[in-house]
Amino acid sequence: MAELLSNWSSTLEAVPPSHCIPVHERPSDTVEIVDTIPVIDLGKANGEERSAVVKDLLKAFEEYGFFQIINHGVPVDLMDEAMKVYKEFFSLPAEEKAEYAKDAANDTNRGAATLYSSSAKHYDSEEHRYWRDVLEHSCNLDGKDRKTWPSNPPRYREVIGAYGDELRRVSKVILGLLAEGLGLEAGFFDTELGQRMLVNHYPACPDPSLTLGVGGHCDPNLITIIQQEVYGLQILKDDKWIGVQPIQNAFVVNSGLPITVVSNGKLTSVAHRVVTNTTHSRTSIGTFICPHDIVEPAKALVGPENPPQFKSFNWGIDFMPHYLSKKSVYHASLEPFKIDA
C-alpha cells in the first residue's frame, strides 16, 4: 500500500521522482485565470425568471460544461463546518487514517470509506503519482452507509450527513432545470440516483511545475458539485487550459460523461485538472451524483432525424470498469458505447 501524501509531504524540499509527471503533461505557467465561467443564480429558479435560468444553465452546459452556482440555499455555516471537518480528517495522525487507507481500485466494498493517494488508476502501481490524497464514500439517501464513514473527527458523520442531504437537494434542482432545458419530461432525473463524496486534499507542493494535483480527465458520473476555497481547478476550453477563480460560498458544477449519452451528444463532458501551489494546501469537496444502473439516450431526444449515438449500457457493470482502466482517456471512455454511423 502506498504511503499517504499528507503523512509526509510537509517534510519534503523537492518533488520525489515518483510524483514527477511526464514532461508533456506538466502544467504551463501561462494558464490564464478567468472570470468568464458562467454563474447561475439558483435563487431565481422558482420565480418569474425561471425560463431565463433554464436557458442560461443549458447554455453553460453546452459551451463550458462547467459553471458556478450562487444562492443555492446551502447554509454557509454548514459549508464552512464541512470544510473544517475534512481538513481535520486529513490532519489526523497517520495511524488513525490507516484504518481507511485501502486499495481503491480493488476495494469490493464500494460504499465504505476509502482513503488513497494519487488516483484509483495509479494506486499501488509503478506509474507516476499525482499530488493528492482522496477520501471517498457513498452518501445514500437512507443513511445506512454512515456507520462506515470515519468516526473521527467525532462530528464527521453528523456534519457530512447534513451536508450530503443539502447537496442532494441542490442536485435535484440542477438536474430538474437541465431536464427542462433539454425538453425532457418533468422528473426525468428523479429516478434513484447514487451519491458519493469524493474529497481531494492537495498539500502544498515544493515545485508545482513538476506535478499535478490530478491530471486532465472527464468525470464518470452525471454531475459533480464542488466546494473549493483555494484556486487550483483548470478546465480545457477550445483546446486551451483556463483557470477557474473560486467565488466565495459558491459551488462549481460540471457535467460528466453520462450526460453526453443522455443528451445524445448535445452536451459534452469537459476535461479538467488541478494544479498545486507552494504556499497553501487545497481541500475540495466533491459530491458525485451517479446513475443508478442503465444509461442511454433519452427517448425524447432520438428519432428518425436524430438517431441514437450511443448504446444502452449498465453504468456500474459496463462503464465504470472501462473508465477505471488505463485505456480510458478523456472522451475515449465513451468510445466502446458509441453506435457506428
Side-chain angles (χ1 to χ4, degrees), residues 78-92:
L78 180 59
M79 296 175 66
D80 292 342
E81 191 66 10
M83 183 63 74
K84 185 176 180 181
V85 163
Y86 281 122
K87 289 180 178 179
E88 289 179 11
F89 174 84
F90 284 106
S91 298
L92 290 172

Side-chain angles (χ1 to χ4, degrees), residues 101-176:
K102 301 171 184 177
D103 185 337
N106 298 313
D107 185 19
T108 57
N109 187 359
R110 296 296 297 162
T114 302
L115 178 64
Y116 54 93
S117 188
S118 186
S119 78
K121 293 184 183 182
H122 295 141
Y123 201 92
D124 269 353
S125 76
E126 298 300 321
E127 297 182 49
H128 65 271
R129 297 179 182 280
Y130 292 122
W131 198 264
R132 69 168 182 171
D133 288 342
V134 183
L135 174 68
E136 67 169 298
H137 58 70
S138 61
C139 189
N140 294 330
L141 181 62
D142 59 17
K144 293 180 180 179
D145 52 359
R146 295 184 188 183
K147 63 181 181 297
T148 68
W149 296 359
S151 56
N152 196 13
R155 64 194 189 287
Y156 184 102
R157 296 177 183 179
E158 177 185 357
V159 171
I160 303 308
Y163 182 88
D165 290 345
E166 282 292 315
L167 270 292
R168 185 180 300 109
R169 176 189 59 77
V170 172
S171 73
K172 289 183 176 181
V173 173
I174 295 168
L175 289 172

Side-chain angles (χ1 to χ4, degrees), residues 25-301:
E25 195 181 348
R26 293 177 185 176
S28 166
D29 293 332
T30 59
V31 172
E32 180 184 7
I33 303 175
V34 303
D35 58 5
T36 57
I37 306 298
V39 177
I40 306 297
D41 187 346
L42 288 190
K44 298 179 179 180
N46 293 320
E48 296 179 354
E49 298 180 74
R50 181 179 178 86
S51 60
V53 174
V54 169
K55 181 180 178 181
D56 289 344
L57 182 139
L58 187 64
K59 184 178 179 181
F61 269 118
E62 291 175 335
E63 296 186 356
Y64 280 87
F66 270 79
F67 53 89
Q68 301 200 58
I69 56 172
I70 59 175
N71 295 324
H72 41 68
V74 180
V76 172
D77 58 351
L78 180 59
M79 296 175 66
D80 292 342
E81 191 66 10
M83 183 63 74
K84 185 176 180 181
V85 163
Y86 281 122
K87 289 180 178 179
E88 289 179 11
F89 174 84
F90 284 106
S91 298
L92 290 172
E95 58 271 17
E96 292 193 45
K97 289 184 287 188
E99 176 183 351
Y100 304 101
K102 301 171 184 177
D103 185 337
N106 298 313
D107 185 19
T108 57
N109 187 359
R110 296 296 297 162
T114 302
L115 178 64
Y116 54 93
S117 188
S118 186
S119 78
K121 293 184 183 182
H122 295 141
Y123 201 92
D124 269 353
S125 76
E126 298 300 321
E127 297 182 49
H128 65 271
R129 297 179 182 280
Y130 292 122
W131 198 264
R132 69 168 182 171
D133 288 342
V134 183
L135 174 68
E136 67 169 298
H137 58 70
S138 61
C139 189
N140 294 330
L141 181 62
D142 59 17
K144 293 180 180 179
D145 52 359
R146 295 184 188 183
K147 63 181 181 297
T148 68
W149 296 359
S151 56
N152 196 13
R155 64 194 189 287
Y156 184 102
R157 296 177 183 179
E158 177 185 357
V159 171
I160 303 308
Y163 182 88
D165 290 345
E166 282 292 315
L167 270 292
R168 185 180 300 109
R169 176 189 59 77
V170 172
S171 73
K172 289 183 176 181
V173 173
I174 295 168
L175 289 172
L177 293 169
L178 176 59
E180 191 171 333
L182 289 172
L184 305 177
E185 67 267 23
F188 178 86
F189 290 106
D190 285 352
T191 55
E192 183 180 354
L193 298 176
Q195 181 173 341
R196 292 189 67 80
M197 307 303 299
L198 195 148
V199 185
N200 298 289
H201 180 69
Y202 309 93
C205 177
D207 190 347
S209 70
L210 297 177
T211 190
L212 284 168
V214 65
H217 66 285
C218 297
D219 286 348
N221 45 295
L222 287 168
I223 59 170
T224 304
I225 307 175
I226 307 164
Q227 179 181 338
Q228 58 173 354
E229 295 177 330
V230 177
Y231 166 72
L233 177 64
Q234 297 180 347
I235 69 173
L236 192 62
K237 171 69 171 169
D238 299 326
D239 296 321
K240 180 181 178 181
W241 291 106
I242 59 174
V244 179
Q245 182 65 51
I247 297 176
Q248 187 175 14
N249 301 327
F251 289 101
V252 177
V253 180
N254 68 274
S255 55
L257 292 163
I259 286 291
T260 301
V261 177
V262 172
S263 68
N264 202 32
K266 180 178 176 62
L267 307 179
T268 187
S269 179
V270 173
H272 51 287
R273 68 182 187 182
V274 173
V275 295
T276 62
N277 69 80
T278 58
T279 56
H280 300 287
S281 63
R282 177 180 183 271
T283 301
S284 67
I285 308 174
T287 301
F288 280 39
I289 304 301
C290 309
H292 177 58
D293 46 26
I294 301 301
V295 176
E296 61 187 358
K299 292 180 175 56
L301 301 180

